[in-house]
């Protein structure tokens, strides 16, 4: 079995921005009265490199608010308002890799608190997306909580793709290669980003869920490796991953069984593109194209149709 080696940084930087009509000169003061489960963490880190807050005006920005996008259709109005804003509070966390994910959770909790105090809109400058307003950052880390920058692209390439529907015409399985999906956000945890390419339009959700499952598994293994206190800053992993239903469940942060039936587990092959980017595809022994793999019965059924967090089963009520 071949391996992949990539550098692991000792520190990473995450940045969140809050766009508001009025941002005070000292936005950090807004955090001194914040509440929620991260209050003590914010107080202990504020003013250090692990949590810095600054007011920035449109004329002096080193980043472009017009590049902030909506990850979901329902966020488009928020994105437009963010794009048009002129005042911002920027939260920066420059933290050791061993302090993740707590460091980025504290920073995002601080950004949410400032947004709540100013009536502002939060954006993740790593993923490039606006975030849905939230009063508090939940204490448990869940990758599906907008950490991955995973976006389902416009189906059929916004109407430009005319490939046949594989449900009607089998030739449509490989009818196009419109899609390239790439994660944005794994780098803040010290991992390369993941990419899958040459995907036909009808297989977009399946490809996205393959990336999600792979990312969650790599992150789980990565934190286990960091916990051993490695003396080197290069990490070597196998180029083949066996993924299971638990990896998909862990992405969503659910204890409810997501119906990945059958088969489970399944295997993916990893190919290094650069030191910061890894391609994900079918295992070497698979006979067929990447679209045959995504459309066929090799992958669990749950990857084909799960787009939102699984709904918890309701508890029975008394008569």
């Amino acid at each position: 079995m071949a391996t992949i080696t990539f550098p692991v940084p000792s520190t990473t930087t995450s940045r969140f921005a809050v766009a508001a009509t009025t941002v005070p000169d000292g936005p950090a003061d807004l955090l001194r009265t914040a509440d929620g489960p991260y209050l003590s963490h914010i107080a202990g880190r504020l003013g250090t490199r692990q949590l810095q807050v600054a007011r920035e005006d449109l004329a002096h920005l080193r980043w472009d608010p017009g590049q902030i996008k909506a990850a979901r259709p329902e966020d488009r109005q928020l994105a437009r308002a963010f794009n048009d804003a002129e005042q911002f509070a920027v939260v920066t966390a420059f933290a050791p890799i061993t302090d993740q994910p707590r460091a980025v959770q504290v920073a995002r909790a601080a950004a949410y608190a400032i947004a709540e105090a100013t009536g502002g809109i939060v954006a993740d400058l790593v993923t490039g997306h606006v975030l849905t307003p939230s009063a508090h950052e939940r204490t448990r880390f869940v990758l599906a909580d907008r950490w991955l920058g995973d976006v389902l692209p416009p189906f059929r390439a916004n109407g430009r793709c005319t490939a046949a529907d594989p449900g009607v015409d089998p030739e449509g399985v490989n009818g196009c290669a419109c899609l390239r999906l790439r994660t944005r956000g794994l780098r803040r945890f010290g991992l390369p980003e993941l990419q899958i390419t040459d995907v036909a339009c009808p297989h977009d959700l399946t490809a996205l869920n393959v990336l999600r499952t792979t990312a969650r598994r790599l992150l789980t293994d990565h934190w286990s490796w960091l916990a051993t206190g490695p003396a080197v800053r290069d990490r070597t992993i196998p180029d083949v991953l066996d993924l299971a239903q638990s990896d998909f469940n862990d992405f969503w942060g659910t204890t409810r069984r997501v119906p990945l039936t059958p088969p489970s587990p399944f295997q993916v092959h990893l190919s290094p593109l650069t030191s910061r980017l890894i391609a994900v595809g079918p295992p070497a022994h698979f006979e067929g194209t990447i679209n045959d793999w995504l459309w066929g019965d090799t992958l669990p059924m749950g990857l084909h149709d799960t787009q939102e967090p699984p709904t918890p089963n309701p508890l029975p009520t008394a008569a």
Side-chain angles (χ1 to χ4, degrees):
M1 180 183 296
T3 59
I4 297 173
T5 299
F6 56 87
V8 178
S10 58
T11 57
T12 59
T13 302
S14 286
R15 303 179 78 210
F16 302 91
V18 180
T21 302
T22 302
V23 175
D25 290 336
D29 292 339
L30 299 173
L31 297 174
R32 305 192 190 283
T33 58
D35 58 5
Y38 287 95
L39 176 60
S40 61
H41 293 282
I42 291 173
R45 295 170 185 244
L46 192 59
T48 71
R49 300 184 76 193
Q50 295 180 14
L51 187 62
Q52 299 175 341
V53 182
R55 181 184 185 277
E56 296 186 5
D57 291 322
L58 186 61
H60 301 97
L61 293 181
R62 292 176 295 174
W63 52 277
D64 183 1
Q67 296 300 311
I68 300 299
K69 308 297 182 183
R72 306 175 303 176
E74 56 265 37
D75 295 334
R76 288 172 184 165
Q77 185 174 353
L78 287 174
R80 285 193 293 269
F82 190 97
N83 299 155
D84 294 337
E86 296 185 356
Q87 296 187 29
F88 303 89
V90 177
V91 179
T92 302
F94 184 73
I97 198 66
T98 52
D99 192 28
Q100 304 295 359
R102 181 51 54 87
V104 293
Q105 289 180 288
V106 172
R108 197 167 75 171
Y112 280 140
I114 293 172
E116 187 176 19
T118 61
I121 302 166
V122 182
D124 186 337
L125 300 188
V126 174
T127 65
H129 294 149
V130 290
L131 300 173
T132 304
S134 173
H136 300 292
E137 178 78 22
R138 68 165 144 179
T139 54
R140 181 187 178 195
F141 178 83
V142 176
L143 191 57
D145 285 351
R146 314 294 292 277
W147 291 111
L148 198 54
D150 51 342
V151 178
L152 198 62
F155 185 65
R156 292 291 187 185
N158 269 336
R160 296 188 299 274
C161 178
T162 59
D165 182 348
V168 177
D169 183 354
E171 294 297 324
V173 172
N174 290 293
C176 70
C178 295
L179 302 183
R180 182 189 71 176
L181 305 179
R182 182 182 293 182
T183 62
R184 295 179 66 180
L186 286 178
R187 66 183 186 185
R188 68 176 126 218
F189 305 118
L191 281 173
E193 302 294 346
L194 302 178
Q195 177 176 284
I196 189 168
T197 59
D198 299 325
V199 175
C201 290
H203 319 317
D204 54 357
L205 180 57
T206 309
L208 183 62
N209 281 333
V210 167
L211 281 189
R212 290 167 166 174
T213 309
T214 305
R216 178 64 257 192
R217 172 60 182 277
L218 286 175
L219 198 53
T220 300
D221 292 348
H222 192 57
W223 284 333
S224 296
W225 178 79
L226 288 171
T228 66
V232 297
R233 282 302 168 186
D234 286 332
R235 183 171 172 223
T236 299
I237 62 174
D239 69 344
V240 173
L241 279 184
D242 291 314
L243 304 178
Q245 176 170 308
S246 59
D247 298 308
F248 192 53
N249 286 4
D250 287 347
F251 170 80
W252 294 109
T254 179
T255 56
R256 175 178 175 266
R257 179 183 175 87
V258 179
L260 298 188
T261 59
S264 182
F266 67 100
Q267 195 174 84
V268 298
H269 180 253
L270 307 178
S271 304
L273 298 176
T274 71
S275 61
R276 298 182 179 181
L277 184 63
I278 292 176
V280 178
H285 60 74
F286 181 79
E287 297 182 357
T289 68
I290 190 170
N291 291 308
D292 293 326
W293 179 60
L294 294 170
W295 180 255
D297 57 5
T298 301
L299 299 179
M301 292 300 296
L303 298 186
H304 295 273
D305 52 25
T306 302
Q307 185 169 352
E308 299 294 335
T311 303
N313 294 324
L315 296 174
T317 57

